[in-house]
Amino acid sequence: MVEEVFKKNNIKLTKQRKEVYELLKEPQTVKDIINKKININPSTIYRIIEIFLKTNLIEEELFDNQIYYKIKNDEHVHYIKCIKCHKKEKLNLCPIKKIKGFEIIDHKIELNGICEKCKKSKN
């Protein structure tokens, strides 16, 4: 499937690009990708991200003052992040549907909370 996506978007398939693309199935910061201990130079990761953004394969999402990247798809999702352990969880709802007098084209929502595990640990 990755091969088809790259071919359709005129992106040369390399091992590094494929590896980064696979990681972006879930939202990641560049730092997250670097910390995965994959054997790709950080500057190469930044160049790959730039290529993916230019070809509209991925999208940026600002969350907790950090830029996350993820594969672009038609699914509209929001996430909530634990302020203690930084676990990020996908929500099964969108709190914004309509605002009187406006057709919503796009929106970004940042939700922070404390997950059950952190609430129980009382740290």
Side-chain angles (χ1 to χ4, degrees):
M1 175 166 153
V2 175
E3 293 82 5
E4 293 170 15
V5 171
F6 279 34
K7 187 175 182 177
K8 179 182 171 188
N9 289 281
N10 295 320
I11 298 173
K12 182 179 176 184
L13 179 64
T14 65
K15 180 182 167 193
Q16 292 92 349
R17 288 176 183 171
K18 184 176 181 179
E19 198 168 355
V20 171
Y21 185 81
E22 292 291 336
L23 289 172
L24 294 175
K25 288 181 178 176
E26 292 294 322
Q28 308 275 330
T29 65
V30 172
K31 187 177 179 181
D32 292 336
I33 296 169
I34 291 168
N35 288 338
K36 300 274 188 210
K37 304 291 185 214
I38 57 177
N39 196 20
I40 304 175
N41 184 300
S43 62
T44 301
I45 293 171
Y46 280 102
R47 284 194 301 274
I48 290 169
I49 294 292
E50 187 176 323
I51 289 167
F52 289 171
L53 283 170
K54 282 183 180 178
T55 55
N56 221 14
L57 278 185
I58 63 172
E59 60 188 353
E60 294 177 318
E61 188 176 86
L62 183 63
F63 195 83
D64 198 26
N65 293 323
Q66 295 184 65
I67 297 175
Y68 284 82
Y69 300 95
K70 66 178 182 168
I71 294 174
K72 194 171 192 174
N73 60 32
D74 293 333
E75 182 185 19
H76 179 79
V77 295
H78 296 288
Y79 295 87
I80 188 165
K81 182 177 179 181
C82 178
I83 61 171
K84 293 190 175 202
C85 69
H86 305 288
K87 172 181 148 184
K88 196 171 178 185
E89 213 171 275
K90 186 170 147 179
L91 298 175
N92 292 325
L93 62 94
C94 175
I96 303 235
K97 298 285 184 205
K98 279 186 172 182
I99 295 179
K100 187 176 179 181
F102 286 86
E103 176 185 356
I104 306 299
I105 305 298
D106 188 28
H107 63 273
K108 308 275 188 252
I109 298 174
E110 181 176 321
L111 299 169
N112 295 296
I114 300 174
C115 70
E116 288 298 318
K117 185 178 176 183
C118 290
K119 275 197 309 192
K120 289 176 184 173
S121 72
K122 298 190 186 209
N123 285 339

